[in-house]
Amino acid sequence: MLRATIKSLLARKLRLLLSATAVVLGVAFVVGAFVTTDTLGSTFEDVFSDVNEQIAVDVRGAETTEGAANSDGGGRNPVPESAVAAVRAVPGVAEVQPNVANAQFNQVSLVGKDGKALSTNGAPFIAANWYASERLNLQRVIEGREPRGPTEVLLDPRLAERAGVGVGDTTTVFLPTGQHRMEVVGLVRYSDGKDTLAGESYVLFETAAAQKLLNVDGYTNLVIAAADGVSEQELRDRVAAALPPGLEAITGTQLADEQASDIEEGLGFLNTFLLVFASVALFVGAFIIFNTFSILVAQRTRELALMRALGASKGQVTRSVLFEAVVVGGIASAIGLGAGIGVAIGLQALFSAFGAGLPSASPVLQLRTVIAAFAVGIVITAVAALLPARRAAKVPPIAAMRDAATPDRSLLRQTIGGAVLTVAGAVFMTLGLTGSGLTVLGIGTVLAFLGIALLSPLVSKPVTGGLGLLFARSLPGRLGRENSLRNPRRTASTAAALMIGLALVAAVGVLGSSLKDSVRAIASTAIAADFIISPTAVGIDDAAYRAIENTPGVDTVTGLRGARAVMGGEEEFPTAVPASALGTTIALTETAGSATDLGPGTTLISDDVAEERGLSVGSTIPVTWEDNTTETLRVAAVYRANELLGSYLVDASAATHFTQQLYFAGLVKLSEGTDAATARSALDQAIAPYPNIELQDQSEFVATASQQIDQLVQFFQLLLALSVGIAILGIVNTLALSVLERTRELGLLRAVGMSRRQVKRMVRVESVLVSVFGGLLGLIVGVVFGVALQRALVEEGVTELSFPVAQLAGYLVLAAVAGVLAAWVPARRAAKLNVLQAVAAD
């Protein structure tokens, strides 16, 4: 039996090629996801290991409050300068260096060659103090000298090149304390010759200047080297005993592990994100595998029946088909494993193209990735082939004696199963969209797709039959229509793969369109200003704010500040606004209380927060600010959710507790009777000295936000295009197998006078009908999913439902084009069949 199975497999190797290709692509994406995150993780582990190699102990402030701490250091007390002397006096301490660094990486930037602020997306900008230490600082000044004053700065060569400056030049640096003109006095590079360790950029100041410029009262942390013969743990214990309250000491190893763990946590999201798309590709590929083996089993009815007649048991037949599937899955997994390295490199280029540059490094292939590749490929293939294998075992031995095809089965059981799965999927998706988590949402989506795929044969005949009437004028068109109607199960399962891919693409399109319309609605209802000022990097400082405020024709400027705070036990991001802005530059719709009551000691909350937390006008909320001070705020009013401002508004006076004193936006109201064009020109001149600020009217603000949404949608759709491509391969595979299955029929058609061109057209019509059916089904399902996503995100600000009609129609046209392309090779093969050999075929 094994020899017979191997011979059968070798005889049909070309028929299984496209099916294997689907598995190859899915496995490659899985491998690419793991290799990408493993490579990044390894890169950052090496970085932190190198940086902390000589650090025996690190002294830092204790976390300020539970919930306010964050991974970038913004939630810790500063280390007082007096701690340096105390640590230096500890026995076993060889060297102590104070470190001053920016709390958040996106709070630093420089002016680029184009005169605009460099983007803070991608690899971080690190602003810190410079200290000369052969032991604790791995960077060396390679040109120029160290900074010695408040207006001097060191840059790494790569950043200097991006900014178009060299030693002796001046540049504008954007920092948490605003915009500063600085002289570049030197360039630094790591002792091993690298400009950076992982793509980061360095802006380094003299220590006292760094404290002032970065708004750090004291030091961020102290790094300590141990004397010979003193262990990390021993020195940590000695240092910890000498520290004042509010500080803690950890070993250098623990510091490196924490930093690597933070990166690993961030990469975990990236890994999950990529694996979701890999799962989609494999899910689509499973339909193709199922369809391929179903057709092969149908074509081998007499062969399998003969095996049964010669004594093969049902179990042997089942294992024979599953063995073929396992071999196909194993070969595809091996190829996918190699292709996954290329996918990882491609993903890195894709992320860079969308502005999220990742550090380059040699790909890391772990044993876990190899095991996952083969496990996923083989299991998916075997599971997809299980039902056809069981069906093969049920072929009666008597079928070997007749030339009839196996009769089509009733759709009753399949319809019932499909209805149950669809309902279950809808329930799980509802739970997932209402807060039960992405796992529940994912399970619901899979169940819904399986259910819809099982139900699709019910509509296959009427839909493809109706579409086929468009081609019914010619004989090839009528025959192509009849071929698509001949086996509704096959047509539906082939179209289901395309349906899944297009459904997800359409759902993302509906969500993106709804997001853009929601932004328009927010801009028109929440912003009562004539112009919006927004920073392209870091934030708007007081000097820029005053320049805008003093511009002729400007009546009012409202600056918006934000910060982290623990409000009622939860981390929130309140926005500080002056009460005078409400009703002038900011439009609020109160549902309870009066927004004019906003003042010191009060807060305004959105209606969704009020409902979720059971709050109302007069309720009190305990607050812990970023500077670790606490107070209790009274709810003065409840307003309809406003995504521009967030869920909490506090009085502008509360901003004194914020670490970040820059404005994240400014709203400009012109004086009555002022010409907008004249005021625009004056405002452009006012902000010209501030290259990190952008002036927009409402339409421009909406256009910019829409462009960002479009980029995000395109990124998702580009990743989902893999599943659509796999689905098209499935159509090619089905048509190719269908041509083989109908060899004798095609020969007879040619024998009675059908030309090769007519045969090609017949196959193309069948392919187009299958593709358009899958496209229609996918668009309908995708629109339903998109509506569900929009409704679930109403409280997050996606208040408007919009359908990108032209885009959806374009997808349907592309589905038809894909059908024509998918039929290219099978149609040519059908047209080239030798008539006599085809007529004589069994």
Side-chain angles (χ1 to χ4, degrees):
M1 192 69 187
L2 179 60
R3 288 195 299 272
T5 302
I6 293 174
K7 287 183 179 180
S8 174
L9 183 63
L10 293 175
R12 294 171 175 83
K13 55 182 178 293
L14 293 178
R15 304 185 190 189
L16 296 169
L17 179 62
L18 287 176
S19 177
T21 303
V23 182
V24 167
L25 293 175
V27 170
F29 214 82
V30 171
V31 172
F34 280 123
V35 169
T36 297
T37 52
D38 288 343
T39 301
L40 291 173
S42 176
T43 300
F44 284 110
E45 284 180 10
D46 291 343
V47 167
F48 296 131
S49 177
D50 291 342
V51 169
N52 299 316
E53 182 179 4
Q54 296 297 325
I55 298 176
V57 177
D58 181 82
V59 172
R60 63 191 184 185
E63 292 183 354
T64 53
T65 99
E66 183 179 356
N70 54 73
S71 61
D72 56 29
R76 293 187 177 276
N77 287 314
V79 178
E81 297 184 12
S82 59
V84 176
V87 171
R88 191 168 284 144
V90 173
V93 171
E95 184 180 351
V96 181
Q97 291 292 347
N99 188 37
V100 180
N102 54 307
Q104 295 178 342
F105 294 141
N106 62 356
Q107 291 181 345
V108 184
S109 184
L110 267 72
V111 171
K113 293 179 181 179
D114 59 358
K116 299 179 181 179
L118 294 173
S119 171
T120 56
N121 295 328
F125 284 78
I126 298 176
N129 65 313
W130 167 263
Y131 54 85
S133 171
E134 292 289 328
R135 191 170 188 177
L136 291 173
N137 189 351
L138 299 180
Q139 290 178 314
R140 304 289 181 263
V141 177
I142 60 169
E143 184 179 345
R145 59 173 175 81
E146 301 175 359
R148 297 171 186 159
T151 61
E152 297 182 345
V153 66
L154 291 173
L155 305 176
D156 65 81
R158 181 169 160 271
L159 177 57
E161 194 278 330
R162 290 176 63 196
V165 295
V167 175
D169 294 334
T170 58
T171 187
T172 299
V173 182
F174 305 101
L175 297 166
T177 50
Q179 174 177 305
H180 304 272
R181 290 292 292 175
M182 310 291 290
E183 179 186 358
V184 180
V185 297
L187 302 178
V188 296
R189 177 176 288 157
Y190 278 92
S191 55
D192 61 0
K194 295 180 180 178
D195 290 343
T196 68
L197 294 173
E200 74 282 5
S201 300
Y202 289 96
V203 183
L204 305 172
F205 311 96
E206 183 267 334
T207 298
Q211 290 174 314
K212 181 178 180 181
L213 294 170
L214 301 178
N215 196 27
V216 177
D217 184 16
Y219 303 117
T220 306
N221 63 305
L222 307 179
V223 290
I224 304 166
D228 294 340
V230 181
S231 68
E232 284 187 342
Q233 292 78 11
E234 183 181 1
L235 185 60
R236 177 201 57 198
D237 294 342
R238 293 179 187 176
V239 169
L243 294 177
L247 301 181
E248 63 182 18
I250 60 174
T251 64
T253 301
Q254 184 180 347
L255 175 63
D257 290 344
E258 285 186 5
Q259 292 171 334
S261 177
D262 289 340
I263 293 295
E264 185 177 349
E265 183 178 348
L267 293 178
F269 170 78
L270 175 62
N271 193 52
T272 301
F273 175 79
L274 295 175
L275 286 177
V276 166
F277 289 94
S279 300
V280 172
L282 286 168
F283 188 50
V284 172
F287 277 87
I288 297 173
I289 298 164
F290 169 80
N291 215 26
T292 300
F293 278 92
S294 295
I295 296 172
L296 290 176
V297 167
Q299 291 176 350
R300 296 168 59 193
T301 298
R302 293 185 66 186
E303 175 190 329
L304 296 172
L306 186 59
M307 286 184 180
R308 293 278 286 114
L310 293 174
S313 66
K314 291 184 178 181
Q316 285 179 309
V317 173
T318 300
R319 289 192 294 273
S320 172
V321 177
L322 285 178
F323 178 76
E324 292 184 23
V326 169
V327 171
V328 170
I331 295 173
S333 297
I335 299 172
L337 181 62
I341 305 297
V343 169
I345 296 172
L347 284 172
Q348 184 172 355
L350 179 62
F351 280 114
S352 297
F354 280 89
L358 299 175
S360 58
S362 299
V364 174
L365 183 63
Q366 294 188 3
L367 178 61
R368 176 256 288 147
T369 304
V370 177
I371 294 173
F374 281 95
V376 166
I378 292 173
V379 169
I380 290 293
T381 308
V383 169
L386 180 59
L387 188 58
R390 288 173 56 85
R391 192 178 301 154
K394 293 179 181 180
V395 174
I398 194 65
M401 309 303 173
R402 53 190 171 89
D403 195 26
T406 303
D408 207 7
R409 304 179 313 280
S410 168
L411 290 173
L412 179 60
R413 291 175 59 185
Q414 181 172 325
T415 301
I416 294 173
V420 171
L421 288 176
T422 302
V423 172
V427 171
F428 274 86
M429 286 182 64
T430 302
L431 293 174
L433 291 171
T434 53
S436 295
L438 291 177
T439 301
V440 174
L441 177 61
I443 293 173
T445 303
V446 170
L447 292 177
F449 275 131
L450 287 174
I452 294 167
L454 289 175
L455 292 173
S456 60
L458 293 177
V459 295
S460 173
K461 274 193 173 183
V463 174
T464 54
L467 292 171
L469 293 175
L470 299 174
F471 306 96
R473 290 184 179 181
S474 64
L475 176 63
R478 288 196 298 274
L479 290 176
R481 175 176 179 269
E482 291 300 323
N483 288 335
S484 66
L485 295 175
R486 180 183 300 183
N487 192 329
R489 274 195 176 89
R490 181 182 301 179
T491 299
S493 59
T494 304
L498 185 59
M499 176 267 291
I500 294 169
L502 278 183
L504 294 173
V505 171
V508 171
V510 171
L511 181 59
S513 181
S514 299
L515 276 169
K516 289 191 287 186
D517 274 12
S518 298
V519 169
R520 293 188 186 95
I522 291 171
S524 61
T525 59
I527 301 176
D530 297 297
F531 293 101
I532 299 99
I533 306 292
S534 54
T536 58
V538 188
I540 305 170
D541 61 17
D542 280 325
Y545 182 85
R546 299 305 171 201
I548 297 166
E549 194 174 42
N550 294 328
T551 301
V554 170
D555 178 53
T556 305
V557 180
T558 300
L560 307 180
R561 288 179 172 138
R564 288 180 175 89
V566 179
M567 308 188 74
E570 298 288 337
E571 186 178 68
E572 302 289 352
F573 296 84
T575 300
V577 299
S580 59
L582 303 178
T584 54
T585 56
I586 298 173
L588 281 183
T589 302
E590 298 103 326
T591 59
S594 174
T596 57
D597 291 338
L598 179 66
T602 65
T603 182
L604 310 181
I605 62 174
S606 62
D607 51 3
D608 52 351
V609 168
E611 181 180 356
E612 179 183 347
R613 297 198 174 188
L615 300 174
S616 59
V617 174
S619 299
T620 57
I621 304 174
V623 180
T624 302
W625 301 109
E626 280 187 325
D627 61 0
N628 213 28
T629 60
T630 61
E631 68 174 307
T632 300
L633 299 180
R634 179 180 59 83
V635 176
V638 178
Y639 59 89
R640 188 169 299 156
N642 183 318
E643 293 305 314
L644 174 69
L645 301 174
S647 300
Y648 292 85
L649 295 182
V650 295
D651 186 68
S653 60
T656 56
H657 302 295
F658 295 178
T659 301
Q660 170 67 281
Q661 288 299 306
L662 302 180
Y663 301 97
F664 69 79
L667 305 177
V668 180
K669 186 78 171 178
L670 301 179
S671 301
E672 189 174 351
T674 301
D675 178 66
T678 303
R680 175 68 179 262
S681 178
L683 284 168
D684 284 335
Q685 292 180 8
I687 66 173
Y690 306 96
N692 69 321
I693 296 177
E694 185 176 27
L695 174 70
Q696 297 173 311
D697 59 25
Q698 285 198 23
S699 62
E700 291 169 332
F701 176 78
V702 170
T704 299
S706 297
Q707 184 179 15
Q708 294 171 347
I709 293 170
D710 284 338
Q711 288 179 342
L712 185 63
V713 169
Q714 290 168 8
F715 178 74
F716 278 99
Q717 290 180 337
L718 190 57
L719 291 175
L720 287 170
L722 175 66
S723 61
V724 177
I726 293 175
I728 294 172
L729 286 177
I731 297 174
V732 176
N733 201 26
T734 300
L735 289 173
L737 291 171
S738 179
V739 167
L740 288 172
E741 185 180 39
R742 304 201 307 265
T743 298
R744 187 176 183 185
E745 174 189 323
L746 292 170
L748 289 172
L749 289 173
R750 291 278 286 117
V752 297
M754 180 175 274
S755 67
R756 289 183 175 181
R757 179 177 295 179
Q758 288 176 314
V759 171
K760 289 181 181 179
R761 189 180 179 201
M762 178 185 70
V763 177
R764 283 198 294 267
V765 167
E766 181 181 354
S767 178
V768 168
L769 290 178
V770 172
S771 298
V772 173
F773 172 58
L776 280 173
L777 200 59
L779 293 182
I780 293 170
V781 174
V783 167
V784 172
F785 281 7
V787 171
L789 284 171
Q790 184 272 328
R791 298 311 303 165
L793 295 173
V794 168
E795 293 185 358
E796 305 301 323
V798 190
T799 56
E800 307 300 312
L801 177 62
S802 176
F803 301 101
V805 177
Q807 189 181 82
L808 297 177
Y811 292 152
L812 191 59
V813 172
L814 288 176
V817 172
V820 174
L821 296 176
W824 187 268
V825 174
R828 287 175 60 85
R829 184 169 184 176
K832 288 182 178 182
L833 286 174
N834 183 284
V835 176
L836 294 178
Q837 291 178 354
V839 171
D842 187 4

